[in-house]
Amino acid sequence: MKRADDSKKKTSLDSFVEGISLLVLELGRHPESSSILTYGQETLLTLLSQGGKMSLKDVKSHLHINTFQMSRLLSSLENYVEDKNRMPLVVREVNEQDKRQWVISISDDGRRVLTEELHRRKLRVKKILNPLTQEEKAGLMSIIQKMIAAARQK
């Protein structure tokens, strides 16, 4: 006879999702390596760092966000505060081809802050990967690449 709570048993997918969530939590948990940028801020700075100047329309399309979200994200980067000093991490300029539109790019301070954030992430990941052998790390990387490819399929 099946017990009534059998339907509440965890599936392997449930366990996997929980494991990924816990790993992500641990990546951001340590105070000595805590993030200084939000996920959205880091994503936009990375996009601008790789793509150069971009129109607001192109950024919204790449990040899959609406105008309100774009405005809030851009404002948070234009008014970024570090050690009580305001420092814009992005630069907004009039588009030379179409004066009605804006283009944004990453500022020098934005590059510095992004580099610092990526360094902190490397330290967190290094600590988490430390117990793995080289073979395990290679296998994990292969799995991660397959998962990324599957996530990017439409």
Side-chain angles (χ1 to χ4, degrees), residues 27-121:
L27 280 169
R29 181 177 217 91
H30 304 286
E32 73 276 3
S33 61
S34 63
S35 298
I36 55 174
L37 296 171
T38 66
Y39 173 77
Q41 290 171 328
E42 182 181 339
T43 302
L44 178 53
L45 290 177
T46 300
L47 180 64
L48 295 173
S49 177
Q50 294 173 353
K53 287 184 182 180
M54 296 182 74
S55 71
L56 296 181
K57 181 180 177 182
D58 288 342
V59 171
K60 288 189 321 186
S61 174
H62 273 84
L63 299 182
H64 307 289
I65 59 177
N66 62 36
T67 302
F68 175 73
Q69 293 166 319
M70 181 68 206
S71 177
R72 288 187 59 187
L73 180 57
L74 197 53
S75 177
S76 74
L77 291 168
E78 288 176 317
N79 298 297
Y80 185 80
V81 176
E82 181 179 78
D83 297 327
K84 299 182 182 178
N85 296 316
R86 182 183 168 277
M87 60 178 64
L89 302 184
V90 295
V91 177
R92 188 190 315 215
E93 305 170 300
V94 173
N95 186 336
E96 290 301 318
Q97 286 88 29
D98 184 349
K99 304 273 188 221
R100 299 170 296 168
Q101 301 211 4
W102 296 94
V103 292
I104 56 174
S105 59
I106 189 169
S107 70
D108 290 340
D109 283 327
R111 284 189 198 289
R112 180 187 54 76
V113 169
L114 179 61
T115 299
E116 291 170 2
E117 183 69 19
L118 295 176
H119 177 71
R120 273 188 284 284
R121 170 146 325 110

Side-chain angles (χ1 to χ4, degrees), residues 2-35:
K2 280 192 165 187
R3 293 178 33 200
D5 62 319
D6 279 353
S7 63
K8 294 182 182 179
K9 283 185 178 178
K10 284 185 185 177
T11 65
S12 59
L13 179 60
D14 292 333
S15 295
F16 187 77
V17 169
E18 185 178 291
I20 292 289
S21 296
L22 288 172
L23 179 59
V24 169
L25 176 67
E26 287 302 318
L27 280 169
R29 181 177 217 91
H30 304 286
E32 73 276 3
S33 61
S34 63
S35 298

